Amino acid sequence: MIDAYNELGNLSLVPDLAGPLRIGVAEGFAVACMATLISQIRQSFPLLRPEWVVATSAGLEQSLSADDLDLAILVDPIGLKNVRLFALGLQGNDWAAAAFLAPTVGASPQDLARFPIITTPPGTAMYRATFGWMAEGKITPENVCVCSSLNAALQLVAAGLGIGVFPSKVIESYPLADALVKLPIKAKLDDGRVFVADNAASDEMRTRALVAVVEQTSDILGYFW
């Protein structure tokens, strides 16, 4: 019991973070939160020198497991060996379409499957959310456009070249006002589970200090449900 008490006491100490730190951010979270996150980290740890990597959660989790990153913000991680997870919250997801296309799309999996589906590669959170929702309607979409970048997929959907699933806050923060809209689908998409993750051999005190900054950022932006 004494050891457990001492461990809790140690975790309550905020380390003085300085120097380089390799931080990965899932693309969806980055689109909506990156600027505020960078500002909050600078305020909390002015001597820290983050080296940012923005990519899909699947790729970031692989990099963490291989010790190529120190920390990452992940959505729906697979749970790879050596990756330690710290839960942040639930991220809403929505189907999106260009505003001029949306009235013609419909609301069921059968309706949406008539249009090109734009998503990220198999294994990514966006791909799993897309095909999981379609599967509930016993639909396997045939016209699928796979983009390695969520941001590129977002641009294609906004241009009216197809429809896709994105974090709700990403759709809301799209820079061209009213160009991209949420589709009023019949069956709700599953929420994404967002985590801060590190390598299990990393300094847990350091990670928890950064988790607190990420939580502060998400609170400022109202990112989670």
Side-chain angles (χ1 to χ4, degrees):
M1 183 177 293
I2 292 175
D3 289 342
Y5 177 82
N6 289 336
E7 183 178 352
L8 287 173
N10 289 336
L11 291 176
S12 69
L13 299 175
V14 178
D16 185 15
L17 301 185
L21 190 71
R22 302 165 300 173
I23 304 176
V25 185
E27 279 192 284
F29 192 89
V31 168
C33 303
M34 190 87 171
T36 304
L37 177 60
I38 290 173
S39 176
Q40 292 300 309
I41 286 180
R42 283 177 177 170
Q43 290 180 36
S44 299
F45 304 109
L47 299 181
L48 192 65
R49 297 293 177 263
E51 299 171 3
W52 299 98
V53 177
V54 177
T56 64
S57 285
L60 295 174
E61 191 173 1
Q62 291 281 356
S63 295
L64 270 177
S65 182
D67 203 26
D68 293 329
L69 287 175
D70 299 307
L71 191 85
I73 299 171
L74 306 178
V75 180
D76 291 333
I78 299 169
L80 294 179
K81 182 180 179 181
N82 299 330
V83 174
R84 180 170 52 192
L85 300 173
F86 303 82
L88 286 175
L90 294 177
Q91 163 188 285
N93 292 317
D94 280 288
W95 279 95
F100 68 85
L101 184 66
T104 69
V105 175
S108 70
Q110 292 81 3
D111 293 333
L112 272 62
R114 296 181 295 114
F115 293 82
I117 306 297
I118 300 174
T119 186
T120 46
T124 62
M126 182 176 168
Y127 186 96
R128 284 180 278 149
T130 300
F131 278 77
W133 185 85
M134 284 287 185
E136 292 179 7
K138 299 182 180 180
I139 297 293
T140 301
E142 296 181 359
N143 190 358
V144 179
C145 173
V146 174
C147 293
S148 60
S149 163
L150 181 145
N151 193 48
L154 192 69
Q155 302 300 324
L156 294 177
V157 170
L161 299 179
I163 60 176
V165 171
F166 301 96
S168 305
K169 291 294 183 181
V170 170
I171 301 169
E172 294 168 11
S173 63
Y174 190 72
L176 298 178
D178 302 323
L180 197 67
V181 298
K182 299 175 184 178
L183 294 174
I185 56 175
K186 291 180 179 178
K188 184 180 181 297
L189 282 155
D190 289 339
D191 293 331
R193 299 161 298 143
V194 185
F195 297 82
V196 171
D198 67 4
N199 189 288
S202 299
D203 182 346
E204 186 174 350
M205 288 176 59
R206 179 187 68 184
T207 299
R208 288 190 180 276
L210 289 162
V211 168
V213 177
V214 178
E215 289 176 333
Q216 184 179 26
T217 298
S218 60
D219 288 345
I220 290 170
L221 297 172
Y223 189 81
F224 296 118
W225 293 116

